[in-house]
Amino acid sequence: STIGLKHEHEIAPGLTGFLKIELDGVDADDKAKGRGRIKLDEAYIGVKGDFGKTWIGSDDSMYEDSVDKISNYWEFGDGLLSAMGYSNGWGDLVQYVTPSMGGFSVGAAVQINGNDEKGQNSLPYQLALSYELDALTVAFAMDSNDSNLAYSSNVPGTSINNENTYGLRATYNMGDFSVTGEYHTRDKDSDSYGLMGNYTMGANTFALAYVM
């Protein structure tokens, strides 16, 4: 089970503070098994207003939220998430999204990593651009893939790919039916394609997806 808490508070007119914490893996039927096994999924705090939205902490990354809709819908991380070819995000994030400007919005995220045991440091980042026009949403994003410091450690026999990942998504809504297409690419690593259809009927949603 998952259990969480979220809250919003108007600090001043046009300025709202918000926070969220979500814990995953609660084995509610087994007291002994549940001890020490609860994992942190999301924990962040931020502010939003006419200037946009900015928040810090652990959350879905800018790339993930903008263009990786299919694997997030199914919440299937073993293989499907890694097949999309991006590695930054989730923890130690500072993120910002602009308000909509004629249908366009821009987002950026940076992951604040401290020094490792060799004194190396990195600031992995992600950028995203989205456009909404009536029933159509198009989004483009990139991930620098610099969160793994091993690529610059010059250890003999190791080769860490920190090439950028680029992703493109398009979603079209037609009343109760929507279709989403995705493409992700990372040089010398992977290319992936995905297609998903959703149909809503009352309180139920039916979904079918294919990823290659």
Side-chain angles (χ1 to χ4, degrees):
S1 301
T2 297
I3 187 169
L5 171 71
K6 63 180 181 179
H7 178 65
E8 287 191 0
H9 176 71
E10 186 179 41
I11 301 171
L15 183 65
T16 299
F18 60 92
L19 59 84
K20 180 181 180 182
I21 183 169
E22 187 172 303
L23 303 174
D24 193 12
V26 180
D27 294 322
D29 65 330
D30 191 330
K31 178 179 178 181
K33 183 179 178 182
R35 290 181 177 175
R37 296 200 176 192
I38 299 176
K39 299 176 293 182
L40 177 66
D41 189 8
E42 298 175 357
Y44 56 81
I45 187 169
V47 291
K48 59 184 178 180
D50 296 336
F51 61 90
K53 173 183 174 182
T54 183
W55 66 109
I56 61 174
S58 300
D59 191 16
D60 291 345
S61 67
M62 193 66 57
Y63 186 100
E64 182 179 0
D65 192 52
S66 299
V67 296
D68 193 8
K69 294 292 185 180
I70 296 177
S71 61
N72 276 295
Y73 180 85
W74 299 100
E75 285 290 344
F76 178 68
D78 296 334
L80 187 55
L81 275 172
S82 59
M84 299 309 179
Y86 64 97
S87 59
N88 294 337
W90 296 290
D92 303 314
L93 288 175
V94 179
Q95 303 195 76
Y96 170 72
V97 177
T98 68
S100 178
M101 300 170 288
F104 286 95
S105 62
V106 179
V110 61
Q111 188 173 358
I112 309 298
N113 291 328
N115 293 335
D116 68 358
E117 64 275 7
K118 296 182 180 180
Q120 295 172 320
N121 191 290
S122 68
L123 290 173
Y125 65 92
Q126 296 178 345
L127 301 172
L129 172 67
S130 64
Y131 177 67
E132 294 186 15
L133 177 64
D134 298 326
L136 176 66
T137 300
V138 179
F140 173 79
M142 66 82 62
D143 185 334
S144 69
N145 291 318
D146 294 328
S147 59
N148 191 336
L149 297 179
Y151 70 82
S152 60
S153 62
N154 297 318
V155 177
T158 62
S159 177
I160 305 298
N161 184 325
N162 72 309
E163 298 287 342
N164 295 345
T165 296
Y166 300 95
L168 179 66
R169 173 184 66 89
T171 299
Y172 192 79
N173 292 290
M174 298 166 283
D176 294 331
F177 179 75
S178 69
V179 60
T180 293
E182 294 181 17
Y183 170 66
H184 307 264
T185 182
R186 182 175 179 178
D187 190 33
K188 302 176 183 177
D189 182 78
S190 65
D191 294 280
S192 61
Y193 310 80
L195 184 66
M196 180 172 70
N198 295 79
Y199 178 69
T200 301
M201 185 173 64
N204 304 295
T205 299
F206 302 89
L208 179 66
Y210 179 78
V211 174
M212 181 174 66

